Amino acid sequence: MPFRIVIVGGGIAGFTAAIALRGPDRIITVLEQSRLNKEIGALISLQPNASRIAESVWGLKSELHGDARAIVDEGFRIYNTDGRRDLHDTLKKAATSPDREGDPVVVRTASKVVDCDTLKGTVTLESGEVVTGDLIVGADGIHSAMRKYVLDTEPSALPTGHSAYRLMIPSEVLEKEAPEFCSKINPRDPFTSMMVAQNCRLVMGPGRQGEVYGIVALVPDEQMNEDPNAKQSWVAEGDLSKMLATFSEYPSHSQDLGLWQLRDLDPLDKWHNGRLILIGDAAHAMLPTQGQGASQAIEDAEALGSFFENITNSPSSESISKIFEEIVQARYSRVSLIQAYSRQAAKPATATDDTKKVTMKPDEFMDYNCMYRGAKLWKQQQEVSTAA
Ligand SMILES: Cc1cc2nc3c(=O)[nH]c(=O)nc-3n(C[C@H](O)[C@H](O)[C@H](O)COP(=O)(O)OP(=O)(O)OC[C@H]3O[C@@H](n4cnc5c(N)ncnc54)[C@H](O)[C@@H]3O)c2cc1C
């Protein structure tokens, strides 16, 4: 019997898990509720911990620099992939490519999962169809529907009191319409810039090798002329005129505008139950202050790939549970610390409990984030220390 893997959610976590898990005698299906044909543009940064995995472990260097048109940000010295849409497309292409090991991943769009039996290893689609897997990966994002099948009580993502508008402006439009701005900040220079005004903050940087300029505008909910409770998804559309009322001095040449209410989760009590494991934002949604959300999803995917590496055919639920536990051991404390630090760096934040304060300095934490070498190495080191 082949090893059947069902991944719920075709975001960055879902597609990287699919890439990591590909191999001989494996049938991998990604079930995505949307049609995957609309994505609000925004820049997304992959930090060295994630770009190292994508490039060295999965061999995606040329795809990331080619299709995703990544650039190296010289200002923050952070490797930037340009555009969530570009990165996402690149990952989808790699997951479904006939040129990688194992069968191409099957992607089923317009396939919303509404139920899961964690013991049987089945998920039920809105249409009533039941899909069976030996392993079910819940990669369905911050508002995960899979989470309730793992936890006894379902936590909700906590609002921080801040939202972020995300927009992209073609650099040539900016140069034509806002020459004064461009004389101070060249939108094609590979630097991240931050502009702080009262409680609002703009974080800006180039994308698509300088073709577009991406802006994240952080604003307290009470200063935003939007109803913060109306939009709770990562991917909501913002209203340009309302945003301009908040940032009245900023040029208005955006192609598309997204509104991103900043929410995170407390660390979950568990990540897995039966044959189901949560990864990415479904398991540990975090604030974007460290730019680690996507990178942590990629680390999760690498861990899945490493710990399931030697499984060649349909595994028993006991061996699945054992592997899940190893993944939790390798990942949980690291991710929870990054979640806590990301929350702490956002002020005012939802964290009120000083006992959970992370005491590392920002540069130490940056090292902690970026120096990670993956769960495979972690596992090898554990084996060496157990043998010694
Ligand atoms: C526009 C944007 C910009 C961002 N910028 C940054 C950044 O610069 N740096 C950073 O670190 N993080 C950023 N983030 C957050 C980061 O993208 C996430 O942390 C990361 O992508 C986690 O991905 P995920 O796959 O876990 O979740 P998601 O990207 O939310 O994907 C979940 C997928 O599951 C699907 N789904 C949900 N429910 C179901 C269901 N019941 N059945 C089937 N499918 C379902 C959804 O349609 C979606 O495609 C950004 C997010 C967005 C939206």
Side-chain angles (χ1 to χ4, degrees):
M1 274 285 275
F3 182 14
R4 295 159 307 169
I5 299 166
V6 174
I7 299 173
V8 181
I12 290 171
F15 278 123
T16 52
I19 293 168
L21 285 163
R22 268 184 71 162
D25 292 323
R26 291 182 177 192
I27 300 172
I28 306 180
T29 308
V30 173
L31 300 171
E32 165 58 41
Q33 65 180 1
S34 75
R35 295 191 181 277
L36 282 182
N37 58 2
K38 184 171 186 295
E39 184 66 87
I40 294 171
L43 297 185
I44 194 161
S45 67
L46 283 197
Q47 297 198 10
N49 49 320
S51 56
R52 195 178 294 121
I53 291 170
E55 292 182 10
S56 313
V57 183
W58 302 330
L60 291 176
K61 187 167 185 168
S62 62
E63 286 89 340
L64 285 173
H65 288 266
D67 295 350
R69 288 179 287 168
I71 56 170
V72 177
D73 185 326
E74 293 174 7
F76 279 177
R77 297 195 186 283
I78 289 171
Y79 175 96
N80 263 324
T81 59
D82 148 28
R84 195 178 133 91
R85 176 172 22 203
D86 299 340
L87 174 63
H88 188 255
D89 280 353
T90 302
L91 297 174
K92 184 175 147 211
K93 225 184 256 177
T96 53
S97 161
D99 302 330
R100 302 179 73 82
E101 197 189 14
D103 285 344
V105 168
V106 176
V107 180
R108 294 183 54 182
T109 56
S111 298
K112 182 173 181 177
V113 173
V114 293
D115 196 13
C116 177
D117 186 324
T118 59
L119 294 178
K120 286 190 190 148
T122 57
V123 294
T124 307
L125 304 184
E126 222 170 13
S127 63
E129 185 190 348
V130 175
V131 182
T132 305
D134 302 301
L135 164 65
I136 313 277
V137 180
D140 55 343
I142 187 165
H143 300 299
S144 168
M146 294 295 100
R147 206 182 283 137
K148 61 176 173 290
Y149 301 105
V150 167
L151 300 168
D152 303 325
T153 54
E154 203 188 343
S156 53
L158 304 169
T160 57
H162 275 66
S163 290
Y165 286 103
R166 316 171 303 263
L167 56 146
M168 286 210 283
I169 305 174
S171 298
E172 61 177 14
V173 173
L174 204 52
E175 283 155 353
K176 189 162 160 246
E177 305 289 341
E180 203 187 323
F181 172 83
C182 295
S183 70
K184 294 184 186 112
I185 298 176
N186 180 347
R188 293 176 195 272
D189 271 354
F191 283 89
T192 300
S193 307
M194 192 184 291
M195 207 180 267
V196 181
Q198 303 255 339
N199 287 326
C200 302
R201 205 187 289 181
L202 297 178
V203 183
M204 307 174 281
R208 294 198 185 128
Q209 290 160 348
E211 259 175 52
V212 291
Y213 201 56
I215 299 168
V216 174
L218 296 159
V219 53
D221 286 343
E222 68 272 12
Q223 283 181 25
M224 192 175 65
N225 296 290
E226 308 251 10
D227 172 5
N229 299 316
K231 310 243 172 96
Q232 299 194 347
S233 150
W234 282 132
V235 190
E237 282 182 28
D239 182 317
L240 190 57
S241 61
K242 289 179 182 168
M243 190 203 90
L244 288 174
T246 309
F247 290 92
S248 52
E249 288 166 15
Y250 205 80
S252 59
H253 314 296
S254 169
Q255 275 187 331
D256 46 18
L257 175 68
L259 178 62
W260 183 11
Q261 194 180 50
L262 301 186
R263 288 175 174 245
D264 70 354
L265 287 173
D266 283 327
L268 305 185
D269 292 338
K270 31 182 193 160
W271 284 356
H272 64 92
N273 185 22
R275 291 181 179 270
L276 168 67
I277 188 163
L278 303 174
I279 64 164
D281 279 6
H284 45 65
M286 60 186 66
L287 294 179
T289 47
Q290 304 293 305
Q292 276 286 338
S295 297
Q296 287 309 305
I298 288 174
E299 286 189 12
D300 289 347
E302 185 269 342
L304 274 177
S306 298
F307 285 95
F308 278 100
E309 193 173 25
N310 299 324
I311 303 292
T312 48
N313 46 29
S314 181
S316 66
S317 55
E318 289 72 30
S319 47
I320 292 255
S321 296
K322 203 165 153 261
I323 294 173
F324 282 170
E325 262 316 297
E326 289 176 323
I327 292 174
V328 170
Q329 274 180 35
R331 301 282 307 131
Y332 189 84
S333 57
R334 172 171 168 81
V335 178
S336 302
L337 191 64
I338 294 174
Q339 247 180 321
Y341 198 79
S342 299
R343 183 182 277 188
Q344 198 172 297
K347 289 183 180 158
T350 44
T352 48
D353 183 355
D354 265 1
T355 56
K356 289 184 187 152
K357 207 164 173 182
V358 183
T359 50
M360 273 186 237
K361 296 193 187 98
D363 56 333
E364 289 170 338
F365 208 80
M366 189 59 119
D367 277 357
Y368 179 80
N369 283 347
C370 297
M371 301 307 279
Y372 182 71
R373 290 286 188 278
K376 189 167 194 167
L377 190 68
W378 183 91
K379 190 175 153 191
Q380 283 163 2
Q381 285 165 346
Q382 295 295 109
E383 282 162 4
V384 170
S385 64
T386 312

